[in-house]
């Protein structure tokens, strides 16, 4: 095990929530706590990314974003990490592959908002991601129907688990995905930055 990385023994069900978290906010906390319950996960790791290749402008410094995220995410089964910087990976597929090598036997689940499912087919080697790990999709305001009928969802339609079976997602053999619907929460990092507000700690 590489020094500085989280501990997870074989068999642990770990959700991976990647993003710039610029800044982390209570919307992230909301979906994380829901994902723990609804997808039957033991732990969730926030993967605070060095930078998002799909976003035109760079985020705040990594250390600053990690520290801010740790101030707002208070849950004993959630760990805020800079794993991608530690591994030297930038693409989700490479991060997942590296984690699977480092943590044999751990059941990883990739977590994403429904808005990300809409653009998932534009991600680097997205079909390999779907073939490597189950995917848990969290519905967000205005994205439920677009996500259901996105290109990636159509191509993976036969691999979809009903929402009632979302708790078995970590045990499913990929490709497998499930989408859960949550009470609407419109808070977003971009809105916080645009308003010049700081998320309360």
């Amino acid at each position: 095990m590489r020094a500085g990385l989280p501990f997870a023994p074989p068999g642990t069900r770990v959700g991976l929530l990647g993003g710039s978290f610029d800044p982390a906010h209570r919307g992230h906390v909301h979906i994380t706590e829901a994902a723990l319950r609804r997808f039957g996960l033991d732990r969730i790791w926030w993967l605070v990314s060095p930078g998002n290749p799909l976003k035109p402008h760079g985020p705040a410094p990594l250390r600053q974003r990690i520290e801010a995220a740790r101030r707002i995410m208070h849950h004993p089964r959630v760990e805020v990490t800079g794993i991608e910087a530690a591994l030297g990976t930038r693409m989700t597929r490479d991060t997942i592959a590296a984690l699977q090598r480092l943590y044999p036997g751990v059941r990883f689940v990739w977590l994403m908002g429904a808005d990300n499912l809409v653009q998932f087919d534009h991600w680097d080697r997205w079909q390999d991601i779907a073939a490597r790990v189950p995917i848990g999709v969290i519905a967000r305001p205005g994205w439920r129907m677009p996500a259901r009928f996105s290109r990636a969802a159509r191509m993976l339609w036969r691999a979809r688990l009903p929402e009632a079976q979302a708790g078995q997602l970590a045990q499913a053999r990929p490709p497998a995905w499930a989408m859960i619907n949550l009470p609407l929460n419109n808070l977003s990092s971009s809105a916080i930055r645009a308003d010049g507000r700081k998320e309360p700690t």
Side-chain angles (χ1 to χ4, degrees), residues 4-160:
L5 294 183
F7 173 73
T12 307
R13 297 163 297 184
V14 178
L16 303 173
L17 183 64
S20 59
F21 297 95
D22 186 31
H25 54 72
R26 300 212 179 277
H28 293 127
V29 174
H30 176 64
I31 66 172
T32 298
E33 292 176 345
L36 273 170
R37 296 190 308 270
R38 302 280 299 278
F39 292 124
L41 301 172
D42 299 312
R43 298 188 65 79
I44 288 180
W45 297 346
W46 282 12
L47 310 185
V48 184
S49 65
N52 185 339
L54 296 180
K55 292 186 177 181
H57 304 293
L62 178 62
R63 177 50 54 188
Q64 178 180 321
R65 287 181 284 125
I66 289 175
E67 290 174 355
R70 287 174 176 164
R71 287 195 296 271
I72 195 170
M73 183 69 250
H74 306 289
H75 195 290
R77 294 193 286 134
V78 179
E79 188 153 358
V80 177
T81 78
I83 281 177
E84 288 181 310
L87 297 176
T89 57
R90 290 292 298 275
M91 300 297 181
T92 298
R93 184 268 177 200
D94 296 331
T95 300
I96 291 171
L99 288 173
Q100 288 177 325
R101 288 193 299 270
L102 287 168
Y103 295 90
V106 169
R107 296 180 176 274
F108 289 110
V109 174
W110 186 259
L111 303 173
M112 66 168 69
D115 54 330
N116 280 319
L117 182 61
V118 171
Q119 60 172 344
F120 187 41
D121 62 302
H122 296 292
W123 290 25
D124 180 65
R125 293 163 291 174
W126 72 274
Q127 290 175 302
D128 189 39
I129 296 170
R132 282 182 170 274
V133 290
I135 297 170
V137 181
I138 301 106
R140 296 176 63 182
W143 292 102
R144 293 178 184 177
M145 294 307 291
R148 287 179 186 275
F149 295 102
S150 65
R151 180 170 179 263
R154 293 196 307 271
M155 293 181 69
L156 296 171
W157 192 256
R158 295 189 178 200
R160 185 183 177 198

Side-chain angles (χ1 to χ4, degrees), residues 25 27 30 140-143 183-192 197:
H25 54 72
H30 176 64
R140 296 176 63 182
W143 292 102
L184 301 185
N185 185 319
N186 285 295
L187 193 60
S188 72
S189 297
S190 57
I192 292 172
R197 293 183 286 128

